[in-house]
Amino acid sequence: MREDDLYINKIDWITITIYALLVIMGWFNIYAAVYDEQAAKSIFDFSINSGKQLVWIGTALLLITIIMVADYRLFENLSLVLYGIFLLFLLITPFFGKEINGQRAWFEIGAFRLQPAEFAKFATALALAKFMERPSFDLSQFKYQMQALLIIMLPVALIMLQPDTGTAMVYSAFFIMLYREGMPQRYYVLGLAFIAVSLLALGIENNLYIVIGVVAVVVIFILLGKKKLSRILAFTILGLATIAYTYSLDYVVSKLPEHQQNRIMVLFNPDIDPLGVGWNVTQSKIAIGSGGFAGKGYLEGTQTKFDFVPEQHTDFIFCTLGEEFGWVGSLVVIFLFCALLIRLVFLAERQKNRFSRVYGYSVISILLFHFMINIAMTIGLFPVVGIPLPFFSYGGSSLWSFTILLFIFIKLDSHRIQLLGRMK
């Protein structure tokens, strides 16, 4: 058997099939989200979003072809170069980018816009994989933890200059990959505790209740533990730090832009202003709920037809699906995403070198984060932060970046035997 034939046989067609299904279903839902019964334009009409998305899908196929015919070693060899290039793009975006809704996050090219922060995700994943493939790299050691953290935080800091909080949050997904690669569990325990305290501080109006709770917990830990001075001192300092953080968080939130404060308020009290700051989430939940078990039918969604949900073709595309295809349609799409993620875990675990495995788990982490947060946004379980549903939401930058992210891993997986040979 020729090497080319062997390569074709090693391509994971299951993953490619799931990708194709999600992209096609997303395209039909984008058309439904912008469908106007009066105008009745074709799904192929380039003057509406479904037609524009078709252009992005076509160019995505071109990107896939380039990735699959390129030398698999190219991605490893150019990983740090690509990371540096996209850091440079992120650096100049706040100065030369197109301002939309108070953010300079896009470069405008004719009728299309590109968002460098979306592409920086796969570049960051490649850079992490390159650094972590070294035999000496050990995430149990502090210096290596700081190296990994620096690679992640550099693009985050530059994205916050735009400012684009939602996209910056996505980079926290890399900590899922770091956990698989040996990051100590204590950091994740502290992280969960930090999130819990933050939610309590934001959700409870009177901080006095939190202070009483923290003091009670500290006293219980001291009484139950060994009565050593060092232990008592440590718990006391931790308790005081928690109380100080609670009050400082209130101050920080008060300095956020008004629209971001409103998003946080709506999370804890969705009914606080259903006709104002809570409009998006309220209408999204109405759309999903009105779909019932089997939905109203394709292009028959009333919430969709009458534009009740803003940004329904992008961040809130899931509510179009829920209204027109109901619980059944939503379940099918969720099943496809879960099948894709499970398949990618299988592929990542069978990799023959650390570079491919680290990159594979980075892909899984980013897709999982987008999938969970986007759907949580549409049903009111998470603040609206502008995170698209992978392969489904309208947008060229989103589709291109997720396509590149995924197919680089498919390419690496198809050459895992050659990668093993290089290690020997």
Side-chain angles (χ1 to χ4, degrees):
M1 183 180 291
R2 292 183 300 120
E3 185 177 345
D4 288 345
D5 294 335
L6 180 63
Y7 160 66
I8 294 296
N9 290 336
K10 294 296 182 181
I11 293 176
D12 190 67
W13 294 103
I14 295 175
T15 301
I16 293 175
T17 301
I18 298 173
Y19 164 84
L21 287 172
L22 288 172
V23 170
I24 293 169
M25 292 172 72
W27 180 51
F28 278 103
N29 276 275
I30 289 167
Y31 178 62
V34 299
Y35 177 70
D36 185 347
E37 209 167 22
Q38 302 300 320
K41 292 183 178 180
S42 166
I43 193 173
F44 299 99
D45 192 322
F46 295 127
S47 67
I48 60 175
N49 288 334
S50 60
K52 294 175 183 177
Q53 187 72 0
L54 187 61
V55 175
W56 292 118
I57 292 171
T59 48
L61 293 176
L62 178 61
L63 288 173
I64 291 171
T65 303
I66 293 171
I67 290 170
M68 299 309 286
V69 300
D71 191 320
Y72 67 95
R73 291 163 290 200
L74 186 68
F75 305 108
E76 182 178 353
N77 295 337
L78 292 180
S79 55
L80 299 182
V81 174
L82 289 170
Y83 180 70
I85 289 172
F86 282 105
L87 284 182
L88 179 61
F89 278 128
L90 292 176
L91 183 62
I92 65 175
T93 300
F95 303 100
F96 302 102
K98 173 77 172 178
E99 184 172 347
I100 300 172
N101 296 329
Q103 297 176 345
R104 288 188 179 273
W106 293 267
F107 286 122
E108 196 166 56
I109 305 171
F112 299 97
R113 292 193 291 261
L114 290 176
Q115 187 176 9
E118 289 289 340
F119 297 96
K121 295 171 190 175
F122 82 84
T124 304
L126 286 171
L128 280 168
K130 183 65 177 177
F131 266 86
M132 293 175 64
E133 74 166 346
R134 292 173 294 169
S136 61
F137 196 95
D138 184 0
L139 276 173
S140 66
Q141 296 183 32
F142 183 75
K143 67 175 183 179
Y144 293 118
Q145 294 167 10
M146 290 301 100
Q147 286 180 12
L149 186 62
L150 180 64
I151 294 170
I152 295 169
M153 292 308 297
L154 277 175
V156 170
L158 294 174
I159 291 168
M160 289 303 294
L161 294 176
Q162 297 175 1
D164 187 353
T165 308
T167 303
M169 285 177 57
V170 174
Y171 286 76
S172 64
F174 286 109
F175 284 92
I176 301 173
M177 176 276 293
L178 293 177
Y179 181 80
R180 165 62 182 83
E181 294 301 316
M183 181 73 87
Q185 292 184 2
R186 62 180 177 271
Y187 294 121
Y188 295 87
V189 173
L190 288 172
L192 290 173
F194 172 79
I195 292 171
V197 170
S198 299
L199 291 174
L200 286 172
L202 293 170
I204 299 176
E205 292 186 10
N206 192 341
N207 285 337
L208 181 61
Y209 295 119
I210 299 177
V211 172
I212 294 171
V214 170
V215 171
V217 170
V218 169
V219 170
I220 291 170
F221 271 105
I222 291 174
L223 293 176
L224 292 179
K226 297 177 182 178
K227 295 178 177 58
K228 291 183 178 180
L229 182 60
S230 60
R231 182 180 293 271
I232 294 172
L233 185 62
F235 280 123
T236 302
I237 292 173
L238 184 60
L240 291 173
T242 303
I243 293 169
Y245 170 74
T246 299
Y247 282 94
S248 63
L249 184 63
D250 283 346
Y251 174 78
V252 171
V253 170
S254 69
K255 299 299 180 183
L256 289 174
E258 186 178 356
H259 72 279
Q260 293 185 355
Q261 293 186 44
N262 291 337
R263 287 172 179 176
I264 295 172
M265 290 166 55
V266 169
L267 174 65
F268 294 100
N269 189 359
D271 300 321
I272 192 170
D273 186 9
L275 298 179
V277 297
W279 176 265
N280 286 24
V281 174
T282 300
Q283 295 304 317
S284 175
K285 291 193 290 186
I286 290 173
I288 293 172
S290 67
F293 181 75
K296 298 175 181 176
Y298 187 56
L299 304 181
E300 297 299 325
T302 53
Q303 292 290 111
T304 298
K305 279 183 183 180
F306 298 112
D307 272 341
F308 280 104
V309 186
E311 306 299 332
Q312 193 162 343
H313 58 294
T314 54
D315 301 338
F316 285 89
I317 190 72
F318 188 77
C319 71
T320 304
L321 174 75
E323 182 179 20
E324 299 194 344
F325 294 96
W327 181 84
V328 174
S330 301
L331 185 64
V332 168
V333 171
I334 290 172
F335 172 80
L336 285 173
F337 272 108
C338 290
L340 175 64
L341 291 166
I342 292 170
R343 183 64 184 175
L344 290 176
V345 169
F346 170 77
L347 299 185
E349 288 297 331
R350 75 179 184 182
Q351 296 310 300
K352 306 300 182 181
N353 71 342
R354 195 177 192 184
F355 178 87
S356 298
R357 187 179 72 239
V358 169
Y359 182 79
Y361 269 100
S362 296
V363 175
I364 295 163
S365 302
I366 293 170
L367 293 179
L368 175 64
F369 189 92
H370 270 269
F371 165 62
M372 292 180 62
I373 297 301
N374 179 272
I375 293 179
M377 276 181 2
T378 61
I379 59 178
L381 295 180
F382 199 85
V384 179
V385 290
I387 292 179
L389 188 61
F391 315 121
F392 224 82
S393 294
Y394 170 77
S397 294
S398 171
L399 179 62
W400 277 14
S401 64
F402 286 126
T403 298
I404 293 169
L405 182 77
L406 178 64
F407 276 86
I408 287 176
F409 182 48
I410 292 174
K411 175 70 173 180
L412 292 173
D413 174 70
S414 67
H415 287 281
R416 61 188 180 277
I417 303 301
Q418 290 95 318
L419 285 166
L420 177 63
R422 288 173 56 197
M423 296 171 60
K424 293 180 179 179

Short mmCIF file of all heavy atoms in Angstrom, two decimals, residues 88-126:
data_model
loop_
_atom_site.label_atom_id
_atom_site.label_comp_id
_atom_site.label_asym_id
_atom_site.label_seq_id
_atom_site.Cartn_x
_atom_site.Cartn_y
_atom_site.Cartn_z
N LEU A 88 0.87 39.83 17.49
CA LEU A 88 1.06 41.12 16.83
C LEU A 88 -0.27 41.67 16.31
O LEU A 88 -0.58 42.86 16.48
CB LEU A 88 2.05 40.98 15.67
CG LEU A 88 2.35 42.26 14.87
CD1 LEU A 88 2.95 43.34 15.77
CD2 LEU A 88 3.29 41.95 13.71
N PHE A 89 -1.09 40.80 15.71
CA PHE A 89 -2.41 41.22 15.24
C PHE A 89 -3.27 41.71 16.40
O PHE A 89 -3.98 42.72 16.29
CB PHE A 89 -3.12 40.07 14.52
CG PHE A 89 -2.72 39.91 13.07
CD1 PHE A 89 -2.31 38.69 12.58
CD2 PHE A 89 -2.76 41.00 12.22
CE1 PHE A 89 -1.95 38.54 11.26
CE2 PHE A 89 -2.40 40.87 10.88
CZ PHE A 89 -1.98 39.64 10.40
N LEU A 90 -3.21 40.97 17.52
CA LEU A 90 -3.99 41.38 18.69
C LEU A 90 -3.51 42.72 19.23
O LEU A 90 -4.30 43.52 19.73
CB LEU A 90 -3.89 40.31 19.79
CG LEU A 90 -4.58 38.97 19.51
CD1 LEU A 90 -4.33 38.00 20.66
CD2 LEU A 90 -6.09 39.17 19.32
N LEU A 91 -2.21 42.97 19.12
CA LEU A 91 -1.63 44.21 19.62
C LEU A 91 -2.11 45.42 18.82
O LEU A 91 -2.38 46.49 19.39
CB LEU A 91 -0.10 44.12 19.58
CG LEU A 91 0.68 45.32 20.13
CD1 LEU A 91 0.38 45.51 21.62
CD2 LEU A 91 2.18 45.12 19.91
N ILE A 92 -2.24 45.26 17.50
CA ILE A 92 -2.61 46.41 16.66
C ILE A 92 -4.12 46.55 16.48
O ILE A 92 -4.60 47.60 16.05
CB ILE A 92 -1.94 46.33 15.27
CG1 ILE A 92 -2.44 45.11 14.48
CG2 ILE A 92 -0.42 46.29 15.41
CD1 ILE A 92 -1.92 45.04 13.07
N THR A 93 -4.89 45.51 16.83
CA THR A 93 -6.34 45.57 16.66
C THR A 93 -7.00 46.74 17.38
O THR A 93 -7.86 47.42 16.80
CB THR A 93 -6.99 44.24 17.10
OG1 THR A 93 -6.47 43.16 16.31
CG2 THR A 93 -8.51 44.28 16.88
N PRO A 94 -6.66 47.03 18.67
CA PRO A 94 -7.31 48.16 19.34
C PRO A 94 -7.04 49.51 18.68
O PRO A 94 -7.80 50.47 18.89
CB PRO A 94 -6.69 48.12 20.75
CG PRO A 94 -6.21 46.72 20.94
CD PRO A 94 -5.76 46.29 19.58
N PHE A 95 -6.00 49.60 17.86
CA PHE A 95 -5.65 50.87 17.22
C PHE A 95 -6.20 50.99 15.80
O PHE A 95 -6.58 52.08 15.37
CB PHE A 95 -4.13 51.03 17.19
CG PHE A 95 -3.50 50.96 18.55
CD1 PHE A 95 -2.88 49.78 18.98
CD2 PHE A 95 -3.54 52.04 19.41
CE1 PHE A 95 -2.29 49.70 20.24
CE2 PHE A 95 -2.96 51.97 20.67
CZ PHE A 95 -2.33 50.80 21.09
N PHE A 96 -6.24 49.87 15.07
CA PHE A 96 -6.63 49.91 13.67
C PHE A 96 -7.90 49.12 13.36
O PHE A 96 -8.34 49.09 12.21
CB PHE A 96 -5.48 49.39 12.78
CG PHE A 96 -4.20 50.17 12.95
CD1 PHE A 96 -3.16 49.66 13.72
CD2 PHE A 96 -4.04 51.41 12.35
CE1 PHE A 96 -1.98 50.37 13.88
CE2 PHE A 96 -2.87 52.13 12.51
CZ PHE A 96 -1.83 51.62 13.28
N GLY A 97 -8.45 48.46 14.36
CA GLY A 97 -9.64 47.64 14.14
C GLY A 97 -10.90 48.47 13.99
O GLY A 97 -10.95 49.65 14.33
N LYS A 98 -11.93 47.81 13.47
CA LYS A 98 -13.25 48.42 13.31
C LYS A 98 -13.99 48.40 14.64
O LYS A 98 -14.10 47.36 15.29
CB LYS A 98 -14.05 47.64 12.26
CG LYS A 98 -15.50 48.06 12.10
CD LYS A 98 -15.63 49.32 11.33
CE LYS A 98 -17.10 49.61 11.01
NZ LYS A 98 -17.29 50.88 10.28
N GLU A 99 -14.51 49.55 15.07
CA GLU A 99 -15.23 49.62 16.34
C GLU A 99 -16.69 49.25 16.14
O GLU A 99 -17.40 49.83 15.32
CB GLU A 99 -15.14 51.03 16.93
CG GLU A 99 -15.80 51.12 18.30
CD GLU A 99 -15.57 52.44 19.00
OE1 GLU A 99 -14.70 53.21 18.55
OE2 GLU A 99 -16.28 52.71 19.98
N ILE A 100 -17.12 48.23 16.90
CA ILE A 100 -18.51 47.77 16.86
C ILE A 100 -18.97 47.54 18.29
O ILE A 100 -18.33 46.79 19.04
CB ILE A 100 -18.64 46.46 16.04
CG1 ILE A 100 -18.16 46.66 14.61
CG2 ILE A 100 -20.09 45.97 16.04
CD1 ILE A 100 -18.08 45.40 13.80
N ASN A 101 -20.05 48.18 18.68
CA ASN A 101 -20.60 48.06 20.03
C ASN A 101 -19.55 48.35 21.11
O ASN A 101 -19.47 47.66 22.13
CB ASN A 101 -21.19 46.66 20.25
CG ASN A 101 -22.37 46.39 19.34
OD1 ASN A 101 -23.11 47.31 18.99
ND2 ASN A 101 -22.53 45.14 18.94
N GLY A 102 -18.72 49.35 20.86
CA GLY A 102 -17.73 49.77 21.86
C GLY A 102 -16.47 48.92 21.89
O GLY A 102 -15.62 49.12 22.76
N GLN A 103 -16.33 47.98 20.96
CA GLN A 103 -15.15 47.11 20.92
C GLN A 103 -14.42 47.28 19.59
O GLN A 103 -15.05 47.33 18.54
CB GLN A 103 -15.54 45.63 21.08
CG GLN A 103 -16.18 45.30 22.41
CD GLN A 103 -16.63 43.85 22.46
OE1 GLN A 103 -16.72 43.16 21.45
NE2 GLN A 103 -16.93 43.37 23.66
N ARG A 104 -13.10 47.35 19.66
CA ARG A 104 -12.28 47.32 18.44
C ARG A 104 -11.66 45.92 18.34
O ARG A 104 -10.54 45.69 18.78
CB ARG A 104 -11.19 48.39 18.51
CG ARG A 104 -11.71 49.81 18.33
CD ARG A 104 -10.59 50.80 18.21
NE ARG A 104 -11.07 52.16 18.01
CZ ARG A 104 -11.36 52.69 16.83
NH1 ARG A 104 -11.19 51.96 15.74
NH2 ARG A 104 -11.81 53.93 16.73
N ALA A 105 -12.42 45.00 17.79
CA ALA A 105 -12.01 43.60 17.76
C ALA A 105 -11.94 43.02 16.35
O ALA A 105 -11.55 41.87 16.19
CB ALA A 105 -12.95 42.75 18.62
N TRP A 106 -12.30 43.81 15.33
CA TRP A 106 -12.41 43.28 13.98
C TRP A 106 -11.62 44.11 12.98
O TRP A 106 -11.50 45.34 13.14
CB TRP A 106 -13.87 43.26 13.52
CG TRP A 106 -14.74 42.31 14.26
CD1 TRP A 106 -15.04 41.02 13.92
CD2 TRP A 106 -15.45 42.57 15.47
NE1 TRP A 106 -15.88 40.46 14.84
CE2 TRP A 106 -16.14 41.39 15.81
CE3 TRP A 106 -15.56 43.68 16.31
CZ2 TRP A 106 -16.94 41.29 16.94
CZ3 TRP A 106 -16.35 43.58 17.44
CH2 TRP A 106 -17.03 42.40 17.74
N PHE A 107 -11.12 43.44 11.96
CA PHE A 107 -10.59 44.11 10.78
C PHE A 107 -11.64 43.98 9.69
O PHE A 107 -12.13 42.87 9.42
CB PHE A 107 -9.27 43.49 10.32
CG PHE A 107 -8.11 43.82 11.20
CD1 PHE A 107 -7.38 42.80 11.82
CD2 PHE A 107 -7.75 45.14 11.43
CE1 PHE A 107 -6.31 43.11 12.63
CE2 PHE A 107 -6.67 45.44 12.25
CZ PHE A 107 -5.95 44.43 12.86
N GLU A 108 -11.99 45.08 9.07
CA GLU A 108 -13.03 45.07 8.03
C GLU A 108 -12.39 44.99 6.66
O GLU A 108 -11.51 45.79 6.32
CB GLU A 108 -13.89 46.33 8.14
CG GLU A 108 -15.20 46.23 7.38
CD GLU A 108 -16.17 47.33 7.77
OE1 GLU A 108 -15.78 48.51 7.67
OE2 GLU A 108 -17.29 47.00 8.17
N ILE A 109 -12.84 43.98 5.86
CA ILE A 109 -12.36 43.80 4.50
C ILE A 109 -13.58 43.77 3.59
O ILE A 109 -14.25 42.75 3.46
CB ILE A 109 -11.55 42.49 4.36
CG1 ILE A 109 -10.41 42.45 5.38
CG2 ILE A 109 -11.00 42.35 2.94
CD1 ILE A 109 -9.70 41.13 5.46
N GLY A 110 -13.89 44.91 2.98
CA GLY A 110 -15.09 45.01 2.16
C GLY A 110 -16.33 44.80 3.01
O GLY A 110 -16.53 45.47 4.02
N ALA A 111 -17.16 43.83 2.60
CA ALA A 111 -18.39 43.54 3.34
C ALA A 111 -18.17 42.52 4.44
O ALA A 111 -19.12 42.16 5.16
CB ALA A 111 -19.45 43.02 2.36
N PHE A 112 -16.95 42.03 4.60
CA PHE A 112 -16.67 40.99 5.58
C PHE A 112 -15.75 41.52 6.68
O PHE A 112 -14.99 42.47 6.49
CB PHE A 112 -16.02 39.79 4.89
CG PHE A 112 -16.90 39.15 3.86
CD1 PHE A 112 -16.75 39.46 2.51
CD2 PHE A 112 -17.87 38.24 4.22
CE1 PHE A 112 -17.56 38.88 1.55
CE2 PHE A 112 -18.70 37.66 3.26
CZ PHE A 112 -18.54 37.97 1.92
N ARG A 113 -15.85 40.87 7.85
CA ARG A 113 -15.01 41.24 8.99
C ARG A 113 -14.29 40.01 9.52
O ARG A 113 -14.87 38.91 9.56
CB ARG A 113 -15.86 41.86 10.10
CG ARG A 113 -16.45 43.22 9.74
CD ARG A 113 -17.00 43.92 10.96
NE ARG A 113 -18.18 43.26 11.46
CZ ARG A 113 -19.42 43.64 11.23
NH1 ARG A 113 -19.64 44.70 10.46
NH2 ARG A 113 -20.45 42.99 11.74
N LEU A 114 -13.05 40.19 9.95
CA LEU A 114 -12.26 39.12 10.55
C LEU A 114 -11.86 39.53 11.96
O LEU A 114 -11.50 40.68 12.20
CB LEU A 114 -11.01 38.83 9.71
CG LEU A 114 -11.24 38.17 8.35
CD1 LEU A 114 -9.92 38.04 7.60
CD2 LEU A 114 -11.88 36.80 8.51
N GLN A 115 -11.93 38.58 12.88
CA GLN A 115 -11.62 38.83 14.28
C GLN A 115 -10.35 38.07 14.67
O GLN A 115 -10.39 36.85 14.87
CB GLN A 115 -12.80 38.41 15.16
CG GLN A 115 -12.65 38.79 16.62
CD GLN A 115 -13.88 38.43 17.43
OE1 GLN A 115 -14.79 37.76 16.94
NE2 GLN A 115 -13.92 38.88 18.67
N PRO A 116 -9.21 38.76 14.82
CA PRO A 116 -7.95 38.08 15.14
C PRO A 116 -8.00 37.24 16.41
O PRO A 116 -7.33 36.21 16.50
CB PRO A 116 -6.97 39.25 15.29
CG PRO A 116 -7.54 40.35 14.47
CD PRO A 116 -9.03 40.21 14.60
N ALA A 117 -8.78 37.67 17.40
CA ALA A 117 -8.85 36.93 18.67
C ALA A 117 -9.35 35.51 18.48
O ALA A 117 -8.97 34.60 19.23
CB ALA A 117 -9.74 37.68 19.67
N GLU A 118 -10.22 35.30 17.46
CA GLU A 118 -10.72 33.94 17.20
C GLU A 118 -9.60 33.04 16.69
O GLU A 118 -9.48 31.88 17.09
CB GLU A 118 -11.86 34.00 16.17
CG GLU A 118 -13.15 34.61 16.68
CD GLU A 118 -13.87 33.70 17.67
OE1 GLU A 118 -13.58 32.48 17.68
OE2 GLU A 118 -14.69 34.20 18.43
N PHE A 119 -8.75 33.57 15.82
CA PHE A 119 -7.67 32.77 15.24
C PHE A 119 -6.52 32.56 16.23
O PHE A 119 -5.76 31.59 16.11
CB PHE A 119 -7.15 33.45 13.97
CG PHE A 119 -8.18 33.56 12.89
CD1 PHE A 119 -8.93 34.71 12.73
CD2 PHE A 119 -8.45 32.49 12.05
CE1 PHE A 119 -9.89 34.82 11.74
CE2 PHE A 119 -9.41 32.58 11.06
CZ PHE A 119 -10.15 33.75 10.90
N ALA A 120 -6.39 33.47 17.18
CA ALA A 120 -5.33 33.34 18.18
C ALA A 120 -5.53 32.10 19.05
O ALA A 120 -4.58 31.63 19.68
CB ALA A 120 -5.27 34.59 19.05
N LYS A 121 -6.75 31.55 19.07
CA LYS A 121 -7.00 30.35 19.88
C LYS A 121 -6.18 29.16 19.40
O LYS A 121 -5.53 28.48 20.19
CB LYS A 121 -8.50 30.00 19.86
CG LYS A 121 -9.40 31.03 20.49
CD LYS A 121 -10.86 30.71 20.22
CE LYS A 121 -11.77 31.85 20.64
NZ LYS A 121 -13.18 31.60 20.27
N PHE A 122 -6.23 28.89 18.09
CA PHE A 122 -5.47 27.73 17.60
C PHE A 122 -3.97 27.99 17.66
O PHE A 122 -3.17 27.07 17.87
CB PHE A 122 -5.93 27.32 16.19
CG PHE A 122 -5.34 28.09 15.05
CD1 PHE A 122 -4.09 27.77 14.54
CD2 PHE A 122 -6.03 29.15 14.47
CE1 PHE A 122 -3.54 28.47 13.48
CE2 PHE A 122 -5.50 29.85 13.41
CZ PHE A 122 -4.25 29.52 12.91
N ALA A 123 -3.56 29.26 17.50
CA ALA A 123 -2.14 29.59 17.60
C ALA A 123 -1.65 29.38 19.03
O ALA A 123 -0.53 28.88 19.24
CB ALA A 123 -1.91 31.04 17.17
N THR A 124 -2.46 29.75 20.00
CA THR A 124 -2.11 29.53 21.41
C THR A 124 -2.05 28.04 21.72
O THR A 124 -1.16 27.59 22.46
CB THR A 124 -3.14 30.23 22.33
OG1 THR A 124 -3.20 31.62 22.00
CG2 THR A 124 -2.76 30.08 23.80
N ALA A 125 -2.99 27.28 21.17
CA ALA A 125 -2.99 25.82 21.37
C ALA A 125 -1.71 25.19 20.81
O ALA A 125 -1.10 24.32 21.44
CB ALA A 125 -4.22 25.20 20.72
N LEU A 126 -1.29 25.64 19.63
CA LEU A 126 -0.06 25.12 19.02
C LEU A 126 1.16 25.51 19.85
O LEU A 126 2.08 24.69 20.05
CB LEU A 126 0.09 25.66 17.60
CG LEU A 126 -0.82 25.05 16.53
CD1 LEU A 126 -0.72 25.83 15.22
CD2 LEU A 126 -0.48 23.58 16.29
#
